[in-house]
Amino acid sequence: MSSAFNINALQSMLQPEGDSSDSEDDGPKYTPADIGTGAKPKHKIPDITPTTVKKAPTGKDIWDEEFVPEGVVTDHEETRPRPDYDICYKQNVRTEDMFLGMSGKNPGTNDELVLTINLPGAKSADIDLNVEDERVDCWTQHYALRLHLPKPVISNQGAAQWVTDKEQLRLTLPLKKEFDFMP
């Protein structure tokens, strides 16, 4: 009988007489029976729809010009055709890599990105080239290429070579390593 008395004493300590958890002031109470019956909470959820929402652009555009960051030129302004190009990866392999496996390189480890752009009818003097860490821009009188690279490169350490007989521009760009301590 003393254990029942102790439990009642503990209950009265934790929940004083005037405090009832069944009051309506605690907010809406839901039961499993309320699911799907259309019961709505008694309090109103505030409307947080912004008043400055802009209308979607019309036509085939997916964004309006005011949303494009400053200094970005979009491709749709260019009327010259895009030249054919190939992107390959190159791995610098030495003798100790092949026979001893000392550098830790594996087939998935790439050192350089090689971009070959076919520019028929162009001369090396007519090419305007701009290389950035994540983008290459190449313009001639007849072609225009704005290419976002699949991996970041070290743009100021690259090399460009014009292959006259094939009318190709070959760019060799070292890839940025995610970790400097890895080969």
Side-chain angles (χ1 to χ4, degrees):
M1 178 91 91
S2 67
S3 63
F5 177 75
N6 290 339
I7 291 176
N8 287 338
L10 181 62
Q11 181 182 5
S12 64
M13 252 174 53
L14 295 175
Q15 185 177 10
E17 288 271 336
D19 189 20
S20 171
S21 64
D22 293 335
S23 69
E24 295 293 324
D25 297 337
D26 288 346
K29 300 288 183 196
Y30 296 104
T31 65
D34 293 332
I35 296 175
T37 60
K40 295 184 179 178
K42 294 179 183 176
H43 61 282
K44 183 178 185 307
I45 299 173
D47 185 15
I48 55 171
T49 306
T51 57
T52 59
V53 173
K54 301 193 185 272
K55 291 182 180 179
T58 59
K60 293 184 178 180
D61 294 336
I62 58 172
W63 58 74
D64 211 0
E65 286 187 22
E66 64 189 57
F67 295 114
V68 178
E70 201 172 307
V72 174
V73 181
T74 57
D75 291 333
H76 70 275
E77 297 170 0
E78 188 57 57
T79 58
R80 292 176 282 185
R82 188 176 196 172
D84 293 332
Y85 64 90
D86 291 322
I87 296 177
C88 299
Y89 294 100
K90 182 177 168 184
Q91 184 179 47
N92 298 327
V93 180
R94 298 181 300 227
T95 307
E96 60 267 16
D97 299 327
M98 284 295 296
F99 297 109
L100 301 174
M102 294 175 62
S103 70
K105 289 187 178 183
N106 60 45
T109 306
N110 299 312
D111 296 320
E112 295 174 333
L113 181 137
V114 179
L115 174 63
T116 305
I117 306 170
N118 298 318
L119 298 167
K123 295 186 169 92
S124 62
D126 299 336
I127 298 172
D128 186 14
L129 182 66
N130 182 25
V131 179
E132 296 179 12
D133 289 352
E134 295 183 0
R135 191 178 76 209
V136 171
D137 298 327
C138 179
W139 297 281
T140 66
Q141 183 179 0
H142 302 290
Y143 295 100
L145 176 67
R146 179 177 301 270
L147 180 67
H148 292 275
L149 299 173
K151 293 184 179 181
V153 298
I154 304 171
S155 59
N156 59 358
Q157 294 180 6
Q161 178 186 13
W162 176 250
V163 182
T164 308
D165 58 333
K166 294 183 179 180
E167 295 180 325
Q168 291 179 338
L169 177 64
R170 188 171 296 143
L171 302 173
T172 304
L173 305 166
L175 292 170
K176 277 188 180 177
K177 300 290 183 182
E178 191 170 338
F179 302 106
D180 291 335
F181 58 88
M182 293 182 76

